[in-house]
Amino acid sequence: MEKGFRDIEEYFLSVAENPKKTVQHKNVKPQKKIDLNRKIRNLNEKLRGKDAKIRHLYAEISQLTKKIEELEKENRELSRFKEDKTIVENYKQQIENLKEEIACLKSEIAEKDKKIKSYESSELPKSRVELFIEVALNSIATNITVKNGLKVLFSKRFRKDIAKEVACRPFLFESFMSALSRCETTSKLLKRDKQDIYRIRVTSPYGEFRAIYTKLDKETIKFHRFGQRDDIYKELDASGWSLD
């Protein structure tokens, strides 16, 4: 007990001796607490502001990310469009090149057609055999017309046929002349059924057989074909026996 009272007494004495220190000591501690609380509140307010800014920045980042994705998509589509456009331009160029080639080919074809027409219109020089056949046939036609009063005609195809045959086998012309003697009457001609077409057989001592195909009416006899019977049969069957 005495010790407890002594401690209390010493405490009050120390306070009496140093009252300023005690007061200052008591006054400083509350001031520090007040400053710390304010700082904490200020920091919390700043943190809340920072959080709001961070959320706002995240929202902006999300929007910018979407815009970037859209721009990348547009860029890919634009690149694809450019590629397609390049392909289309290449096709257009190829088409233009083909048009130019077609125009050149058409001009060449036109020039060749002109040449062909000029060749067709111009008469080719006739061979000696063709000249001989032409003179001989004209003479035969005149003689038959004078003798029998029957007009004799030779088609262009007949002239070509006989010139071709006689060029290879000259003796066939004599056989042809002997066959003409059987043209005096129609009874000596072989008539095609239901046709005004008559066939004259041409034989030779060398075993060569040919046929003449003619059309006959009251005043005119026209020679249309001359050659091997089987070949002419095939052609006439294919054409429906049309000699014109």
Side-chain angles (χ1 to χ4, degrees):
M1 294 292 292
E2 291 179 357
K3 185 178 180 181
F5 285 115
R6 192 180 299 115
D7 292 335
I8 293 169
E9 185 179 359
E10 287 178 359
Y11 172 74
F12 281 109
L13 288 174
S14 63
V15 171
E17 290 178 357
N18 300 313
K20 293 181 179 180
K21 291 182 179 179
T22 305
V23 173
Q24 288 178 356
H25 180 70
K26 290 181 180 180
N27 290 334
V28 168
K29 287 182 180 180
Q31 186 66 31
K32 286 183 179 180
K33 289 182 180 180
I34 292 170
D35 291 337
L36 290 174
N37 289 330
R38 286 179 181 176
K39 288 181 180 180
I40 290 168
R41 283 196 299 272
N42 291 333
L43 289 173
N44 288 331
E45 290 176 359
K46 289 181 179 180
L47 288 173
R48 283 195 295 272
K50 296 289 184 183
D51 290 339
K53 287 183 178 180
I54 289 169
R55 286 193 298 271
H56 181 69
L57 289 173
Y58 272 117
E60 289 184 353
I61 289 169
S62 178
Q63 292 178 357
L64 289 173
T65 303
K66 290 181 180 179
K67 287 183 179 180
I68 290 170
E69 291 176 355
E70 292 176 357
L71 289 173
E72 288 179 349
K73 184 178 179 181
E74 290 178 359
N75 189 20
R76 287 194 297 270
E77 292 178 354
L78 182 61
S79 300
R80 194 179 301 111
F81 173 76
K82 286 181 179 179
E83 291 177 358
D84 294 339
K85 187 177 180 182
T86 303
I87 294 170
V88 171
E89 292 297 330
N90 291 332
Y91 282 141
K92 286 182 178 179
Q93 186 62 39
Q94 291 178 8
I95 291 169
E96 292 298 326
N97 294 335
L98 289 174
K99 286 182 178 179
E100 291 179 359
E101 291 180 4
I102 290 169
C104 293
L105 290 174
K106 284 183 177 179
S107 62
E108 290 179 3
I109 291 170
E111 290 294 330
K112 289 182 179 180
D113 287 338
K114 289 180 181 178
K115 290 181 180 180
I116 290 170
K117 289 180 180 178
S118 64
Y119 290 149
E120 288 177 351
S121 60
S122 63
E123 294 183 359
L124 296 175
K126 295 181 179 180
S127 64
R128 291 182 179 181
V129 175
E130 288 176 332
L131 290 173
F132 167 76
I133 294 297
E134 185 174 354
V135 173
L137 292 180
N138 291 335
S139 178
I140 291 169
T142 303
N143 291 334
I144 293 176
T145 301
V146 171
K147 184 177 178 181
N148 299 326
L150 188 66
K151 188 177 181 180
V152 178
L153 301 175
F154 299 98
S155 68
K156 291 182 179 180
R157 183 63 185 270
F158 181 85
R159 292 174 185 269
K160 289 181 179 179
D161 287 344
I162 195 169
K164 180 181 178 181
E165 293 287 348
V166 172
C168 298
R169 300 169 180 82
F171 56 86
L172 285 177
F173 187 76
E174 294 181 1
S175 300
F176 165 71
M177 292 297 294
S178 64
L180 289 180
S181 62
R182 295 193 297 274
C183 295
E184 295 177 358
T185 61
T186 57
S187 61
K188 294 183 180 181
L189 301 178
L190 301 176
K191 186 176 180 181
R192 181 75 181 177
D193 294 339
K194 299 180 181 180
Q195 298 284 347
D196 294 330
I197 299 173
Y198 295 86
R199 177 170 60 86
I200 305 171
R201 296 184 65 184
V202 179
T203 60
S204 73
Y206 302 101
E208 296 287 343
F209 297 94
R210 296 293 183 271
I212 301 170
Y213 289 86
T214 66
K215 273 190 174 183
L216 183 67
D217 58 22
K218 293 180 181 180
E219 298 179 355
T220 305
I221 182 171
K222 187 172 182 179
F223 293 79
H224 285 274
R225 296 299 306 273
F226 179 86
Q228 293 184 3
R229 185 181 65 179
D230 293 339
D231 294 339
I232 295 176
Y233 263 154
K234 290 179 182 178
E235 294 181 12
L236 293 178
D237 285 335
S239 64
W241 283 83
S242 175
L243 292 174
D244 297 329

